[in-house]
């Protein structure tokens, strides 16, 4: 049984227009947004238009023993969509319909290829929002973000993707279609498999329909920018704000390297002598927003910082543009950008920031750190040049040490970018031996032939060998 | 090293791409096909594969690089500042150098690169066009036979007498505020002489001397954007010579087409960088190149010369004019400074209309699908007329507006201005 026969079968079932085999095109499915990973071409790319076609793909994959790599927009940062073992890449981008927005149940039902921003644009017409907003809202798919359990800038108050997924339709490795959850707020029927598939990175099943929770758009918001002369002040302010019983929607931090780089690049008026800058946004009912903003200002001043408040939309936009410029500005300093997302408990944010500065010094690397301080989810961004093998060695050393530090501080390897291939070898550090066994048993139970996204999160082969 | 000398010149640029995929959010072609080879990231990976030898130049590969409007939307949104257009042009040039041009393009470009033959050919065609096209109304024709053109496509007739043959070489005013040299571009010369006439009238009203050098011809952009850099070199040189010689007499060299402007401003200096005797000269000419609306804006523009228009208007920003030459605010500022103008903006004024020059010939279907977004935007703007700064956009918009039976008409900004001049 050859690849050619499999492709033949795929063409028969899906039509020529949904089967891509030209070598130039296959090249374009051999990577995702992850840096420092080898590319690998699939044998074929399919673009199914509905769940029946997805089932057909899985059945053909079974018959010909070909792996299936689900792919949304390919913006993940852990190698989740790279077809390391060749086979079939299944692009969900043609399944891109918003099936329903149900304002009375506050839900939306979408196909996996819908772009997050498109859902938001549709929801806003009902005065509703879908809060999870990764940096890639304008490009990432709902399927990909559910499979990665993406976070974003509003995680502190609003939570992450898993807090919004209510129901899923999934095509299993067996080719069967299952549905779990639904539109009800409460559901304890059986194990919570919606949560299991959320964040499973395409290794347990292919998501073909998603029901998510929407919430009313906040009526008011206030945006502030605070600066500190020392990291500890910023870290204490983060703790202090939460301590004052204020949960901002956004509580973002940028370190000295990032602030300097942003200012050099975008000239948004940031003081380059600040050790750290916080972007804070509180939202909700106008009166509450007002009193929360007052509390934030008090805490910032108590911790030796200064604070600016946006008086109108234009000023708000300006404050945000500083934060939005973080990645672009850093990315322009050197050709290769390695974006990590080690995460620690919020109380350890100062320790983590100091440790990152220290790691940058010891490995002689430029590391700019920004991220979701309120969630303890930092994005240390290492700037390098992939052509410089010696430097890349230091990068890999630094990355390992970042992970180790995060774990020592009671944190986790990945807050939102997932394990994929990139962090696979570190997973045992966090999960432990028994923990790894459980992960493998889950994978084995749902995908005994290792057809779905093989080579990601856990390896089954090494045990068999 | 010039992008017209091989992919090695864009190695840095390729390396800068961090594969984030942000370009997906704005690429008009990706939005239609939803397939990775259409987006900048995909084409950059292909260029990388050619550069390191994993892919060999081939006709199939060249087709992937053809799939780009060079609309610069990706460049404007890219967090790493990757100049995608440079990678695309370098790749196209490299493909042509290895594999040659397809027959049709080769024939067409050979024509364009020989000014006299081209001029003669067009004039002959202007006389014969009734045989091949049926005239719908004054300004609109539809092919009778598939002449490499879609039968449904609406194109303007060729001017019976080209613009430059209709007017004198120099147009003097008393006590001039400035003197400009006018590069007309082919579309204005052969298809829309009214754009040229309008330019003359508005400049005259502002007290500006105009020189229209006789020996000018096609700027060569169609060749440069299609990888035929070697054929375009002589064309570039002759324009650098021609406009270089009157540079001292002119305060600016005016263009009415963003793509012609791009050719002079960015592509000539790149193309002629290492050509002995031309590098510096090309840069000096480039420094003088200016879009008509920017020139008027800086003159400054005198809104009192105009009376209120009868129709409400909207503005479509041509890609090469806006993102290429950075002319974004000027057309809007001058239009809105005229009393009584009702301006109803598009939601996405800078989204590509889909024409992209020869792209609309080779990929008409896709080109029209991109256009459909623009037409919807125009419709919901409620405006009664569309203004734009590029003859090619003007043609494409009118094609769509006619086919969809929409009431609006698209005109060049300068035509709009000439149409509302108070003293006629
Ligand atoms: C510049 C940048 C900023 C980012 N910012 C953030 C951020 O703030 N927060 C955050 O959490 N992430 C962030 N990310 C990571 C990434 O954007 C998200 O993980 C995103 O949700 C991935 O969506 P996608 O459609 O691109 O998925 P893909 O990359 O295509 O796929 C992601 C994973 O999901 C699987 N998958 C895709 N579709 C399905 C399906 N239908 N069924 C089953 N499995 C599927 C794939 O196999 C893969 O393992 C960022 C990435 C970049 C490049
Ligand atoms: S936006 Fe820029 S860096 Fe990101 S993938 Fe596109 S070209 Fe590359
Ligand atoms: S220039 Fe335009 S068409 Fe070409 S890749 Fe960029 S966004 Fe797409």
């Amino acid at each position: 049984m050859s690849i050619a026969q499999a492709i033949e079968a795929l063409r028969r079932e899906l039509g020529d227009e949904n089967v891509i085999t030209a070598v130039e095109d296959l090249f374009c499915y051999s990577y995702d947004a992850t840096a420092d990973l080898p590319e690998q071409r699939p044998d074929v790319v399919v673009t199914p238009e509905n769940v029946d076609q997805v089932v057909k793909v899985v059945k053909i994959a079974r018959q010909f023993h070909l792996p299936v790599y689900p792919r949304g927009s390919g913006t993940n940062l852990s190698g989740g969509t790279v077809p390391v073992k060749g086979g079939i890449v299944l692009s969900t981008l043609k399944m891109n319909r918003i099936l329903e927005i149900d304002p009375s149940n506050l839900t939306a039902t979408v196909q996996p290829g819908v772009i997050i921003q498109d859902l938001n644009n549709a929801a806003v017409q009902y005065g509703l929002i879908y809060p999870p907003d990764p940096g890639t809202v304008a490009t990432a798919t709902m399927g990909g973000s559910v499979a990665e359990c993406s976070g974003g800038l509003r995680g502190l108050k609003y939570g992450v993707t898993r807090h919004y997924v209510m129901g899923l339709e999934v095509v299993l490795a067996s080719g069967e279609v299952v549905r779990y959850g639904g539109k009800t707020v409460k559901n304890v029927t059986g194990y919570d498999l919606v949560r299991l598939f959320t964040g499973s990175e395409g290794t347990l099943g292919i998501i073909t329909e998603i029901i998510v929770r929407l919430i009313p758009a906040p009526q008011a918001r206030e945006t502030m920018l605070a600066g500190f002369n020392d990291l500890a002040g910023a870290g204490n302010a983060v703790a202090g704000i939460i301590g004052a019983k204020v949960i901002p929607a956004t509580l973002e931090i940028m370190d000295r390297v990032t602030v300097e780089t942003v200012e050099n690049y975008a000239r948004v008026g940031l003081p380059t002598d600040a050790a750290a800058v916080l972007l804070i946004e509180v939202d909700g009912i106008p009166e509450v927003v007002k009193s929360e903003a007052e509390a934030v200002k008090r805490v910032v001043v108590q911790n030796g910082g200064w604070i600016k408040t946006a008086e109108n939309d234009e000023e708000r936009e300006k404050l945000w543009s500083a934060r939005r410029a973080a990645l672009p500005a850093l990315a322009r300093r050197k050709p290769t950008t390695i974006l990590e997302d080690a995460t620690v408990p919020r109380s350890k944010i100062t320790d983590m920031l100091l440790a990152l500065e220290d790691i940058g010094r010891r490995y002689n690397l430029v590391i700019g750190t920004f991220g979701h301080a309120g969630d303890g989810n930092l994005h240390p961004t290492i700037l390098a040049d992939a052509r410089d093998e010696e430097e890349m060695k230091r990068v890999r050393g630094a990355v390992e040490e970042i992970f180790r530090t995060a774990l020592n501080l009671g944190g986790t390897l990945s807050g939102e970018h997932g394990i994929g291939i990139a962090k696979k070898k570190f997973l045992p550090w966090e999960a432990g031996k028994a923990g790894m066994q459980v992960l493998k048993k889950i994978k084995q139970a749902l995908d005994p032939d290792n057809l779905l996204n093989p080579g990601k999160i856990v390896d089954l082969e090494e045990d068999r060998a | 090293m010039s992008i017209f000398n091989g992919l090695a010149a864009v190695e840095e640029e390729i390396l800068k791409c961090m594969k984030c995929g942000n370009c997906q959010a704005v690429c008009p072609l990706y939005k239609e096909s939803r397939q990775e080879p259409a987006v900048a990231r995909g084409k950059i990976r292909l260029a990388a594969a050619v550069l390191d030898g994993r892919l060999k130049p081939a006709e199939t590969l060249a087709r992937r690089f053809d799939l780009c409007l060079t609309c610069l939307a990706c460049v404007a949104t890219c967090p790493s500042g990757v100049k995608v257009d440079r990678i695309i042009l370098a790749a196209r040039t490299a493909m042509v150098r290895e594999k040659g041009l397809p027959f049709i393009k080769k024939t067409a470009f050979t024509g364009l690169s020989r000014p006299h033959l081209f001029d003669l050919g067009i004039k002959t065609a202007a006389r014969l066009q009734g045989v091949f096209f049926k005239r719908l109304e004054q300004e609109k024709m539809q092919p009778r036979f598939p002449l490499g053109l879609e039968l449904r496509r609406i194109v303007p007739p060729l001017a019976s007498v080209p613009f430059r043959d209709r007017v004198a070489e120099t147009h003097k005013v008393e006590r001039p505020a400035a003197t400009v040299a006018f590069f007309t571009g082919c579309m204005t010369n052969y298809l829309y002489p009214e754009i040229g006439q309008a330019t003359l009238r508005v400049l005259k009203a502002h007290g500006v001397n105009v020189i229209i050098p006789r020996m000018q011809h096609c700027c060569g952009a169609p060749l440069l954007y299609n990888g035929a850099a070697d054929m375009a070199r002589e064309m570039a040189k002759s324009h650098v010579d021609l406009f270089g010689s009157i540079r001292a007499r002119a305060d600016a060299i005016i263009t009415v087409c963003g793509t012609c402007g791009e050719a002079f401003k960015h592509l000539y200096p790149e193309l002629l960088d290492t050509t002995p005797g031309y590098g510096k000269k090309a840069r000096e000419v480039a420094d003088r190149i200016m879009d008509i609306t920017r020139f008027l804006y800086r003159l400054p523009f005198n809104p009192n010369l105009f009376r209120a228009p009868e129709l409400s208007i909207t503005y479509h920003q041509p890609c090469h004019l806006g993102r290429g030459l950075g002319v974004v605010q000027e057309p809007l500022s001058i239009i809105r400074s005229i009393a009584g103008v009702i301006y109803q903006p598009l939601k996405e004024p800078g989204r590509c209309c889909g024409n992209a020059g020869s792209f609309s010939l080779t990929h008409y279907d896709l080109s029209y699908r991109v256009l459909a977004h623009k037409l919807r935007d125009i419709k919901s703007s409620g405006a009664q007329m569309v203004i734009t700064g590029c003859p090619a956009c003007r043609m494409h918009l009118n094609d769509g507006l006619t086919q969809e039976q929409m009431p609006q008409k698209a005109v060049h900004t300068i035509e709009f201005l000439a149409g509302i001049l108070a003293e006629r």
Side-chain angles (χ1 to χ4, degrees):
Chain A
M1 284 191 285
S2 69
I3 300 266
Q5 284 172 306
I7 291 173
E8 184 53 44
L10 288 167
R11 284 194 194 285
R12 204 166 43 240
E13 297 292 349
L14 275 65
D16 282 346
E17 68 280 13
N18 289 323
V19 182
I20 298 168
T21 54
V23 57
E24 295 86 1
D25 296 334
L26 298 180
F27 258 95
C28 299
Y29 294 87
S30 63
Y31 55 81
D32 50 34
T34 319
D36 196 25
L37 273 189
E39 298 180 3
Q40 172 62 52
R41 247 186 301 152
D43 293 302
V44 53
V45 177
V46 293
T47 57
E49 295 176 22
N50 50 51
V51 59
D52 293 340
Q53 291 192 340
V54 174
V55 168
K56 283 170 181 159
V57 173
V58 171
K59 287 191 170 153
I60 292 168
R62 291 199 70 76
Q63 188 189 347
F64 292 90
H65 302 292
L66 287 174
V68 180
Y69 289 91
R71 179 183 173 106
S73 296
T75 68
N76 76 89
L77 291 164
S78 48
T81 49
V82 179
V84 275
K85 296 184 192 314
I88 305 170
V89 162
L90 184 154
S91 164
T92 61
L93 291 178
K94 280 197 187 164
M95 295 172 68
N96 66 337
R97 277 185 303 131
I98 296 172
L99 300 171
E100 181 195 58
I101 294 203
D102 178 348
S104 47
N105 285 309
L106 294 183
T107 62
T109 307
V110 299
Q111 292 188 322
V114 168
I115 307 297
I116 307 174
Q117 186 63 50
D118 291 341
L119 170 59
N120 262 312
N121 292 348
V124 80
Q125 296 169 23
Y126 297 86
L128 301 171
I129 59 169
Y130 173 70
D133 61 343
T136 44
V137 271
T139 52
T141 62
M142 288 297 292
S145 60
V146 171
E148 290 289 0
C149 187
S150 298
L153 294 157
R154 293 190 282 205
L156 175 58
K157 178 170 179 178
Y158 292 107
V160 298
T161 301
R162 77 161 65 85
H163 302 116
Y164 293 85
V165 183
M166 297 174 74
L168 291 175
E169 178 187 80
V170 179
V171 175
L172 299 173
S174 61
E176 292 159 298
V177 183
V178 293
R179 294 185 78 102
Y180 295 106
K183 283 190 185 179
T184 59
V185 172
K186 296 177 179 177
N187 180 326
V188 291
T189 310
Y191 298 131
D192 190 348
L193 295 178
V194 171
R195 286 263 174 132
L196 177 66
F197 284 106
T198 304
S200 65
E201 299 185 22
T203 62
L204 302 180
I206 299 167
I207 299 163
T208 47
E209 201 176 295
I210 305 160
I211 302 174
V212 292
R213 188 158 71 88
L214 303 174
I215 63 167
Q219 294 168 13
R221 62 188 166 198
E222 192 153 330
T223 310
M224 294 157 279
L225 192 76
F228 300 86
N229 289 332
D230 63 321
L231 268 181
N236 293 338
V238 170
I241 291 169
I242 310 289
K245 310 275 181 300
V246 175
I247 302 197
T250 297
L251 183 42
E252 295 283 306
I253 193 164
M254 294 195 277
D255 75 345
R256 185 192 306 274
V257 176
T258 311
V259 169
E260 263 172 29
T261 313
V262 165
E263 193 47 32
N264 274 336
Y265 158 66
R267 307 245 171 255
V268 279
L270 294 177
T272 45
D273 56 347
V277 160
L278 295 177
L279 176 75
I280 309 154
E281 189 163 283
V282 289
D283 68 4
I285 297 161
E287 298 78 46
V288 178
V289 167
K290 220 166 149 201
S291 81
E292 289 190 342
E294 290 309 321
V296 168
K297 286 174 201 165
R298 252 192 330 270
V299 173
V300 168
V301 173
Q302 273 162 14
N303 286 286
W306 52 260
I307 189 156
K308 265 201 299 217
T309 308
E311 301 295 340
N312 50 41
D313 276 356
E314 199 180 317
E315 283 183 30
R316 172 176 188 266
E317 207 29 57
K318 232 176 130 188
L319 298 187
W320 269 96
S321 69
R323 167 61 181 87
R324 283 202 203 98
L327 184 61
L330 288 169
R332 279 168 210 231
R333 268 184 71 166
K334 288 197 103 186
T336 311
T337 310
I338 294 107
L339 192 63
E340 283 305 339
D341 82 323
T343 302
V344 295
R346 187 184 306 127
S347 59
K348 293 289 199 279
I349 207 94
T350 313
D351 299 326
M352 188 66 193
L353 284 165
L354 291 170
L356 288 167
E357 276 193 359
D358 181 52
I359 292 171
R361 248 190 319 273
R362 277 190 290 114
Y363 285 85
N364 188 23
L365 292 167
V366 186
I367 307 184
T369 301
F370 61 92
H372 324 306
D375 319 343
N377 180 199
L378 294 175
H379 293 310
T381 304
I382 311 180
L383 310 178
D385 187 333
R387 289 167 295 188
D388 184 347
E389 195 36 51
E390 187 273 328
E391 186 179 45
M392 291 309 284
K393 274 214 185 88
R394 282 185 278 125
V395 169
R396 287 169 208 133
V399 167
E400 276 204 40
E401 198 161 332
I402 291 172
F403 292 152
R404 236 180 247 291
T405 312
L407 291 178
N408 286 340
L409 291 171
T412 179
L413 290 173
S414 175
E416 52 183 20
H417 294 169
I419 298 300
I421 322 171
K423 291 181 192 155
K424 194 168 66 172
K425 77 170 192 229
F426 307 110
L427 186 53
W429 295 1
E430 184 168 338
K433 208 165 171 211
M436 287 303 293
Q437 280 311 318
V438 174
L439 293 182
K440 284 181 187 176
K441 279 181 189 155
I442 292 173
K443 169 76 175 165
Q444 252 154 359
L446 283 167
D447 181 17
D449 300 316
N450 204 13
L451 285 178
L452 298 178
N453 212 355
K456 313 297 168 69
I457 309 185
V458 288
D459 277 323
L460 296 182
E461 288 87 346
E462 59 196 53
D463 296 347
R464 284 200 200 128
Chain B
M1 194 177 149
S2 150
I3 57 168
F4 299 114
N5 282 332
L7 272 169
V10 288
E11 189 189 344
E12 260 327 291
E13 221 54 64
I14 290 175
L15 217 72
K16 262 164 50 186
C17 170
M18 61 170 167
K19 303 185 295 181
C20 67
N22 279 11
C23 38
Q24 292 173 354
V26 295
C27 178
L29 295 182
Y30 178 77
K31 295 226 167 201
E32 296 309 316
S33 78
R34 299 177 75 82
Q35 291 183 359
E36 185 78 14
V39 80
R41 178 172 73 167
K43 285 172 278 203
I44 294 171
R45 291 334 295 157
L46 289 177
V50 178
L51 200 57
D52 64 22
R54 282 174 297 151
L55 274 178
K56 295 264 165 292
E59 201 263 321
T60 45
L61 185 56
R63 279 215 298 265
R64 303 310 187 280
F65 293 120
D66 285 346
L67 207 61
C68 172
L69 302 159
T70 62
C71 73
L72 305 170
C74 50
V75 180
T77 206
C78 173
S80 302
V82 178
K83 302 200 179 72
V84 182
D85 54 322
R86 290 175 62 80
I87 300 177
I88 298 285
L89 291 198
R92 286 179 181 174
T93 311
M95 292 298 118
V96 168
R97 208 155 278 167
E98 293 277 337
K99 306 306 297 177
L101 276 167
F103 177 73
I104 299 242
K105 282 190 181 173
K106 190 167 179 178
T107 315
F109 296 162
T110 306
L112 284 179
S113 66
R114 296 196 185 135
H116 295 295
L117 277 180
F118 181 53
D119 193 59
L120 189 69
I122 295 258
K123 284 173 186 160
T124 314
R127 278 201 301 279
L128 292 177
Q129 58 188 338
V131 180
F132 301 105
F133 289 84
K134 53 178 179 272
R135 197 178 277 264
L136 301 181
E137 21 176 315
Q138 178 73 28
E139 254 206 44
K140 292 168 184 167
M141 296 185 112
Q142 209 168 23
R144 295 187 199 272
F145 316 104
L147 306 156
L149 279 179
E150 288 272 334
L151 287 177
R152 64 181 157 130
R153 192 170 188 183
I154 313 291
V155 292
L158 288 165
S160 53
V161 182
F163 171 66
R164 290 194 301 267
D165 292 357
R166 295 182 185 193
V167 294
E169 187 160 10
T170 50
H171 301 257
K172 287 212 155 94
V173 294
E174 270 175 46
R175 278 181 287 121
T179 299
V180 299
F182 180 19
F183 179 79
T184 69
C186 296
M187 291 195 70
T188 295
N189 194 41
Y190 296 114
L191 290 176
Y192 296 122
E194 56 270 39
I195 295 179
Q197 301 281 15
T199 307
L200 286 178
R201 286 183 46 213
V202 176
L203 285 173
K204 185 176 169 203
H206 279 87
V208 176
N209 278 344
V210 184
I211 309 167
I212 309 174
R214 271 278 169 266
M215 298 306 288
Q216 60 177 292
H217 49 105
C218 170
C219 68
L223 286 70
L224 291 168
Y225 282 100
N226 280 287
D230 295 328
M231 294 169 76
R233 196 162 277 115
E234 289 307 317
M235 302 166 78
K237 277 164 73 178
S238 70
H239 281 129
V240 167
D241 282 334
L242 179 63
F243 286 92
S245 70
I246 51 171
R247 190 175 62 88
R249 280 187 285 144
D251 299 297
I253 305 165
I254 298 298
T255 55
V256 287
C257 160
T259 308
C260 298
E262 275 278 85
F264 274 83
K265 187 115 204 151
H266 297 131
L267 302 182
Y268 286 0
E270 178 93 33
L271 180 67
L272 301 177
D273 190 31
T274 52
T275 309
Y278 279 91
K280 180 160 168 282
K281 218 153 106 185
R283 283 191 297 276
E284 284 168 355
V285 169
D287 283 344
R288 288 289 161 95
I289 280 292
M290 206 180 285
D291 175 65
I292 180 71
T293 54
R294 174 167 285 177
F295 176 78
L296 289 170
Y297 177 78
R298 291 187 181 173
L299 194 57
F301 180 72
N302 179 1
N304 301 326
L305 297 173
F306 302 88
R307 56 189 157 72
E310 281 152 23
L311 304 177
S312 61
I313 56 167
T314 193
Y315 178 72
H316 160 68
Q317 175 188 291
C319 300
H320 290 170
L321 185 60
R323 286 180 293 269
L325 297 171
V327 178
V328 176
Q329 283 315 316
E330 292 90 334
L332 295 176
S333 296
I334 62 179
I335 287 168
R336 296 175 74 178
S337 68
I338 300 167
V341 163
I342 304 171
Y343 169 60
Q344 292 168 312
L346 297 179
K347 278 197 208 72
E348 298 183 274
R351 195 186 204 273
C352 181
C353 72
N355 176 281
S358 56
F359 184 89
S360 67
L361 294 173
T362 49
H363 300 78
Y364 186 67
D365 216 52
L366 196 49
S367 166
Y368 198 86
R369 277 161 62 195
V370 175
L371 175 61
H373 292 268
K374 184 60 65 179
L375 297 174
R376 274 198 293 278
D377 202 353
I378 292 172
K379 192 169 197 167
S380 60
S381 79
Q384 294 163 298
M385 188 201 272
V386 191
I387 286 169
T388 188
C390 163
C393 299
R394 180 196 192 280
M395 176 173 89
H396 204 50
L397 292 170
N398 280 325
D399 178 11
L401 291 167
T402 308
Q403 287 193 48
E404 304 308 320
Q405 302 183 344
M406 289 167 64
Q408 295 89 345
K409 201 180 137 182
V411 298
H412 194 286
T413 315
I414 199 72
E415 280 177 276
F416 168 72
L417 291 174
I420 56 168
L421 266 173
E423 42 104 13
R424 294 191 143 240

